[in-house]
Every structure is written in C-alpha cells, then in structure tokens.
C-alpha cells in the first residue's frame, strides 16, 4: 500500500492481520491502517527512549506509563462534578413508564419505520388517550399487549439512552421526539414517579475521583499521540482525526 513511518515500510500482511479486529467499523481497512501505523509510531518512540517490555503491547503500555502522567482530581474538582450532576447521584428513583417500539427488520427498514413512528407520535400528541390502543396495534415489544406498560423502572435497568430520556421526563409527559436505540425507535411516556434518596458525596467521592482521573488521562493520552504523530514522518496515509482502540 506504499505506507511508511519514518522510513520504515508497513507490510500489507500486518494490515490484513489487523482488519479482523475492526469488522464492526464503517471502514475496516481504514481503521486497520490507522491502528498499524499508530502502533509503529509508538514502538519507534519506545525504542528511541529505551523503553523495554516482553511484547509490543507491554512496550506501548510502559511508554504510556512513563510519558503520560496526570494529577489526581482534588476534593474541589470532585465536589463540582458531584454538584453538577444531581440526577446521577440518587438511589431508588423509580419511574412507571410505557412505550411503543418500532423494531427495525429487513421487511421494515429504518426510514419507513421512522415515517410511521412520526405519524403515531403526532397522533398521540394530539390525542394522548389513544396510547393504550396504539401500543396494542403497533408496538413490536411484548409490552404492547398491555398497552405498552413497562411497569416501574429504576435507573440502569434500560439501555443508557432510554434511561437518560425516561428520567428527564416529568410524570405524565410524552417525549416530544422519537428515541432510537439498538432495538429500534421508541415513543416513550413517563407516568408515575417515585423519588429516591440523594447519595452522600462521601460515598461516591472515590468513584468520582477515578472517573475524573480516567478522563484526564484520556485527554493527556490523545494530546501525546497527536504530538507523536505530528513529529513522525508518515507516508501514504493521513492520521488526522483518526480513532484507535489504543486510545479507547
């Protein structure tokens, strides 16, 4: 493919071996090329600095440990994070909910489903009393048989995007937009809500510090990789804006 890093050619066989790790990507070949090139940049930097390891992965990890350092989140930063997300640090919140699911299938492609779901949502906005009837008629979820009722749900019981939307809704509120998840498109309504208790800051302080530390490390790592890539002589591929499992 005519790709080289600082004069070292990248063999096509390395890229072919890497492609299998990116089958779910939109462009597996591009992601494989980016991964192989980035690994070569890192391994060359490890050699330059004399960083040792039993394998390539060990050398890259040791390089990160040496070169990418971030300070621990202090008490004030943890408290700000906690206070800015009051809905996250509650336990026992319950929402009685119902939905109508439009499931994507080969016979029902996404755009066709979206048109149908938008029409049903508009009808419910005009005539909310029809929810039970329309759920029984259109929902592809077993809950359709009981008017779309999902019962009482706690935080974390649903996929994250459903969870996030549901716990933002007020009691009785119908979501004003369709929700898309891996299951399909949903019309969501919150019903009765049972408020839980606030989790004390002291209980989650260590968890918050760990999360802030991971975020800081990710930012520092991305910056470090950006510097290395900018300094390297890379031929045959542009890594600008590339994503990589190495930095996930």
């Amino acid at each position: 493919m005519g790709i080289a890093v600082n004069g070292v050619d990248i063999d096509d066989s390395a890229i072919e071996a890497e492609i299998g790790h990116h089958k779910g990507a939109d462009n597996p070949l591009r992601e494989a090329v980016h991964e192989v090139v980035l690994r070569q940049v890192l391994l060359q930097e490890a050699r330059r600095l004399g960083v040792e390891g039993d394998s390539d992965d060990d050398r890259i990890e040791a390089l990160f440990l040496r070169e990418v350092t971030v300070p621990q989140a202090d008490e004030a930063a943890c408290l700000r994070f906690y206070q800015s997300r009051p809905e996250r640090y509650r336990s026992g919140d319950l929402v009685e909910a119902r939905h109508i699911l439009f499931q994507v299938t080969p016979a029902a492609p996404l755009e066709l489903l979206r048109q149908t779901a938008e029409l049903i949502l508009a009808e419910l906005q005009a005539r909310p009393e029809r929810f039970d009837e329309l759920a029984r008629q259109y929902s592809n979820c077993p809950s359709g048989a009981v008017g779309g009722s999902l019962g009482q749900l706690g935080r974390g019981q649903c996929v994250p995007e459903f969870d996030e939307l549901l716990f933002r809704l007020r009691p009785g509120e119908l979501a004003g937009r369709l929700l898309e998840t891996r299951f399909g498109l949903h019309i969501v309504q919150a019903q009765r809500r049972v408020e839980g208790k606030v989790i004390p800051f002291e209980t989650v302080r260590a968890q918050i510090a760990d999360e802030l530390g991971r975020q800081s490390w990710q930012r520092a790592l991305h910056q470090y990789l950006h510097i290395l890539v900018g300094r390297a002589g890379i031929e045959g591929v542009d890594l600008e804006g590339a994503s990589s499992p190495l930095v996930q």
Side-chain angles (χ1 to χ4, degrees):
M1 296 181 67
I3 300 172
V5 177
N6 294 322
V8 177
D9 290 335
I10 300 295
D11 194 277
D12 286 355
S13 62
I15 295 170
E16 290 170 4
E18 181 66 28
I19 286 179
H21 300 298
H22 305 273
K23 290 180 179 177
D26 292 337
N27 189 329
L29 176 60
R30 180 186 61 198
E31 296 300 322
V33 169
H34 288 170
E35 183 75 1
V36 170
V37 170
L38 185 54
R39 287 178 67 86
Q40 183 59 226
V41 169
L42 291 166
L43 290 170
Q44 289 185 17
E45 181 67 4
R47 282 194 292 272
R48 186 182 75 82
L49 296 176
V51 176
E52 300 294 335
D54 294 333
S55 67
D56 286 351
D57 286 344
D58 288 343
R59 282 188 285 276
I60 289 172
E61 184 175 349
L63 177 67
F64 288 160
L65 288 173
R66 170 175 164 170
E67 298 296 310
V68 183
T69 58
V70 293
Q72 280 290 101
D74 61 19
E75 187 84 1
C78 291
L79 185 58
R80 284 194 300 272
F81 188 89
Y82 172 82
Q83 291 175 335
S84 66
R85 296 161 175 80
E87 73 291 342
R88 181 170 174 178
Y89 297 106
R90 298 180 62 89
S91 65
D93 283 347
L94 294 172
V95 176
E96 193 173 301
R98 58 183 180 177
H99 79 148
I100 300 175
L101 171 65
F102 300 85
Q103 188 176 29
V104 179
T105 66
L110 180 60
E111 286 312 308
L112 178 61
L113 277 182
R114 192 182 302 279
Q115 292 174 17
T116 302
E118 292 284 5
L119 288 173
I120 300 303
L121 177 59
E123 174 64 12
L124 288 173
Q125 288 170 330
R127 300 177 61 192
E129 71 278 3
R130 294 194 66 198
F131 198 109
D132 183 287
E133 170 198 347
L134 294 174
R136 292 176 187 275
Q137 183 176 351
Y138 288 99
S139 185
N140 298 123
C141 176
S143 66
V146 287
S149 176
L150 295 170
Q152 288 188 336
L153 299 172
R155 291 186 186 275
Q157 286 187 245
C158 307
V159 292
E161 54 270 37
F162 194 102
D163 201 70
E164 181 183 356
L165 173 62
L166 180 60
F167 281 89
R168 284 207 314 266
L169 297 174
R170 297 182 302 275
E173 183 178 2
L174 178 72
R177 62 174 178 83
L178 298 175
L179 174 67
E180 185 170 343
T181 73
R182 65 175 181 265
F183 300 107
L185 299 172
H186 308 253
I187 295 174
V188 183
Q189 184 180 35
Q191 297 178 288
R192 192 170 65 90
R193 182 170 184 144
V194 179
E195 298 293 344
K197 297 180 180 179
V198 176
I199 302 172
F201 172 66
E202 294 74 18
T203 303
V204 293
R205 192 254 185 252
Q207 173 191 328
I208 292 172
D210 287 344
E211 182 169 347
L212 291 179
R214 286 194 299 272
Q215 292 176 4
S216 295
W217 192 84
Q218 287 281 8
R219 288 192 295 269
L221 179 58
H222 277 278
Q223 184 178 18
Y224 177 64
L225 293 175
H226 183 76
I227 291 169
L228 288 187
V229 168
R231 198 167 65 197
I234 299 174
E235 303 170 30
V237 64
D238 181 11
L239 286 191
E240 187 67 30
S243 61
S244 167
L246 281 172
V247 299
Q248 295 303 307

